[in-house]
Amino acid sequence: MAPDPPPGKRVVVTGATGNVGTSVVTALARDPEVGSVLGLARRRPKLWTEGVRWETVDLSEPASSGPLRDLLRGADAVVHLAWRFQPTHDPVVTWQSNVLGSIRVFEAAADAGVPALVHASSVGAYSPGPKEEPGVDEQWPTNGWPDAAYCREKAYLERVLDTFELRHPEIRVVRMRPGFLFKESAASEQRRIFAGRYVPGGLFRPDLLPFVPDLEGLRFQVLHTDDAAEAYRLAVLGDARGAFNLTADSVTDARQLAELFGARVVRVPRALVRTALAAAWQAHAVPASPHLFDAVLRLPVLDSTRAHEVLGWRPVHTAAEALTAFLKGVRQGAGEDTAPLAGKRVG
């Protein structure tokens, strides 16, 4: 006879071994209202977290629909975080994993009768907008920047969820739209994703960066990943619906970056930087595409008032603290015992 499940909510988290996933499963497992957490990933991690059980599933595979439905059956909520950033030169691969894989999660949640779905959208889903505070709220159009695969995929899933909510009004759907998320243990992964695996983390030192380029549109918002995880926890345990912007206390620009590096600000033509990045990307020297660069310079500044008022959420870390944690992690090759977050300096 099978043992009775532990009391409390049963939560399933996809993409549980990445930057956000590791923080979310930890936050949920620590909550006394949560009875069990099931972490899903393409590769089983060596990481051990009390209260978390691991299963493997590849959402890009059509055959994953059946096993996924079985894994979600009986869950009180599913938090969908799984996302693949690369290969940027083959958007069909990321589309199969990110878009088709997400649709499989949504459909499996409906088939399994899961009452709550918390989806990781992004500031990247938003259409270009104003760069000044107080920022745009959750009603700003989510059409993304069509030339960038990341934004295109995030925006497409917003439309998928619009239809999903109409077809399944019984399911409480939450869409998280955070700014850029940083923590120390995810720094090595992010260096590999955006700068490449052969860029030494030691290059991110003040004495090697005499100036910070001041580019038109270089104003963005960051958030410590653990603060984002707290918002996910509140969404899982509460009764909120709809979209939520998640950002820290301030907007980051070239001046603030220069203060972190102890460097000076130098105005640089945007076209010059884009041309250099495009050449490097075409040569496969860097994984970050010039299309994503275009999108970042057009992303609107966000207003997180709704998350404060409806979720009761407030970030603990400042934007500067999140960036400082990231820089420290890059320099030290920090990571965690999962395939995405493996800590490596180079290679």
Side-chain angles (χ1 to χ4, degrees):
M1 184 176 180
D4 293 332
K9 290 185 178 291
R10 177 174 177 254
V11 185
V12 180
V13 181
T14 73
T17 57
N19 175 20
V20 185
T22 49
S23 289
V24 168
V25 296
T26 299
L28 289 171
R30 289 173 178 170
D31 194 293
E33 292 187 43
V34 177
S36 67
V37 178
L38 174 61
L40 304 183
R42 283 192 298 131
R43 294 158 290 186
R44 185 182 295 273
K46 297 178 182 178
L47 181 71
W48 181 85
T49 303
E50 185 175 1
V52 179
R53 183 169 64 87
W54 302 98
E55 293 287 350
T56 58
V57 60
D58 186 347
L59 300 179
S60 67
E61 295 292 335
S64 66
S65 295
L68 186 60
R69 185 169 54 250
D70 294 338
L71 291 168
L72 297 186
R73 188 167 287 114
D76 294 290
V78 56
V79 178
H80 179 47
L81 306 172
W83 198 263
R84 186 168 182 170
F85 289 91
Q86 294 177 351
T88 56
H89 286 272
D90 192 350
V92 172
V93 173
T94 58
W95 183 271
Q96 290 173 336
S97 182
N98 299 336
V99 174
L100 301 185
S102 294
I103 292 173
R104 291 184 185 103
V105 172
F106 303 158
E107 293 175 344
D111 292 344
V114 180
L117 167 65
V118 183
H119 169 66
S121 188
S122 167
V123 61
Y126 281 116
S127 302
K131 288 285 187 177
E132 303 301 324
E133 296 178 278
V136 304
D137 65 14
E138 290 80 2
Q139 299 306 309
W140 192 258
T142 51
N143 298 317
W145 179 250
D147 207 25
Y150 174 83
C151 301
R152 187 167 61 243
E153 292 164 358
K154 288 292 188 183
Y156 187 90
L157 288 173
E158 291 277 353
R159 303 290 77 75
V160 171
L161 284 176
D162 290 343
T163 302
F164 181 86
E165 287 185 285
L166 290 174
R167 291 177 175 173
H168 302 284
E170 76 283 2
I171 298 179
R172 181 173 64 89
V173 177
V174 177
R175 314 181 198 196
M176 295 300 194
R177 297 175 184 158
F180 297 95
L181 300 175
F182 296 113
K183 65 180 179 181
E184 183 176 337
S185 61
S188 292
E189 177 198 31
Q190 291 171 323
R191 174 182 59 77
R192 292 191 294 269
I193 288 174
F194 298 108
R197 63 176 62 247
Y198 298 111
V199 175
L203 290 180
F204 291 79
R205 287 164 35 197
D207 56 316
L208 296 179
L209 293 171
F211 72 92
V212 171
D214 184 11
L215 304 174
E216 180 187 356
L218 184 61
R219 287 177 60 81
F220 58 95
Q221 289 161 295
V222 304
L223 181 66
H224 197 287
T225 307
D226 290 346
D227 285 330
E230 173 63 9
Y232 279 94
R233 184 191 69 84
L234 292 170
V236 166
L237 298 179
D239 57 3
R241 293 174 177 260
F244 294 94
N245 295 337
L246 303 176
T247 63
D249 57 325
S250 62
V251 179
T252 299
D253 56 18
R255 180 186 56 80
Q256 290 177 309
L257 292 174
E259 290 176 357
L260 283 175
F261 284 105
R264 59 193 178 93
V265 176
V266 175
R267 190 71 175 178
V268 177
R270 184 164 68 179
L272 178 64
V273 176
R274 193 198 187 281
T275 299
L277 177 60
W281 182 71
Q282 290 290 352
H284 293 257
V286 296
S289 77
H291 314 297
L292 187 59
F293 171 80
D294 295 337
V296 168
L297 297 184
R298 291 169 171 82
L299 294 176
V301 166
L302 305 183
D303 179 0
S304 299
T305 299
R306 185 168 191 265
H308 301 162
E309 295 179 349
V310 177
L311 290 179
W313 172 80
R314 293 280 179 178
V316 174
H317 304 84
T318 66
E321 288 170 343
L323 284 168
T324 299
F326 165 74
L327 292 172
K328 179 181 178 182
V330 169
R331 294 167 188 153
Q332 297 180 351
E336 293 193 43
D337 215 356
T338 74
L341 299 188
K344 295 179 181 178
R345 291 183 181 272
V346 178

